[in-house]
Amino acid sequence: MTKVTPFLMFNDQLEAAMGFYTATFPDSEIRNIARTGKDGPITSAEFVVGGQVFMGYNGGDYFTFSEGFSLYVDCQNQAEVDEYWDKLVKAGATPTACGWIKDPFGLSWQIVPRRFMELIADKNPKKVQAVMEAMMTMVKLDVAALEKAYDEA
């Protein structure tokens, strides 16, 4: 285990969340689980999603997630953005804005094409501003539209 590990407090959806996350992202696995009794529900677990270790706990329905914490997914291209976005939507996620989507367990994800980060790292502030303004109008990020805004600035 790493020195610092995100600890996610679910209400009673830890098992379903782990199953979805590990099936959706490569380099994922469920490492350890603790149950209440021999065949009881899972109370806590250690799992890996996309190479990142997490701890999870079923803490009761008074625990909820907020947009103050999100998981950032670095996507190589538009196809990868579409793949993860579509998997999340199919599972019941709610698209919000600017590449953010809230999964059915209440956790927010940022599905971001690497190209967006390259464009906003440009030294020309007008180009960066144009890309940021284009991004602010989007729900799912669109590489072609971001590049168009950049090129036209």
Side-chain angles (χ1 to χ4, degrees), residues 6 22 24 59 62 64 81 114 116 125 131 145 147:
T22 58
T24 300
Y62 47 86
T64 59
V81 167
R114 196 168 295 154
F116 171 73
V131 171
E147 287 177 334

Side-chain angles (χ1 to χ4, degrees), residues 26-140:
D27 193 24
S28 300
E29 65 177 325
I30 298 171
R31 288 190 175 166
N32 298 300
I33 59 172
R35 294 185 179 277
T36 303
K38 182 180 177 188
D39 296 321
I42 290 177
T43 54
S44 65
E46 176 187 12
F47 57 102
V48 179
V49 179
Q52 172 65 53
V53 177
F54 289 89
M55 297 296 294
Y57 191 83
N58 274 329
D61 58 4
Y62 47 86
F63 286 104
T64 59
F65 296 112
S66 78
E67 287 77 14
F69 177 84
S70 63
L71 297 174
Y72 179 95
V73 181
D74 174 32
C75 298
Q76 293 179 0
N77 51 39
Q78 187 68 52
E80 194 171 22
V81 167
D82 295 345
E83 174 188 351
Y84 290 126
W85 194 271
D86 292 347
K87 286 178 179 180
L88 284 157
V89 168
K90 184 176 179 184
T94 304
T96 54
C98 305
W100 287 54
I101 188 167
K102 187 176 285 192
D103 76 21
F105 312 105
L107 196 56
S108 292
W109 296 77
Q110 296 181 55
I111 310 299
V112 182
R114 196 168 295 154
R115 184 68 177 132
F116 171 73
M117 299 306 291
E118 293 167 356
L119 293 171
I120 64 170
D122 196 278
K123 294 191 185 312
N124 182 330
K126 287 185 180 184
K127 288 190 175 287
V128 172
Q129 181 178 353
V131 171
M132 292 299 293
E133 287 174 0
M135 181 270 301
M136 295 298 288
T137 68
M138 298 176 185
V139 177
K140 177 174 71 171

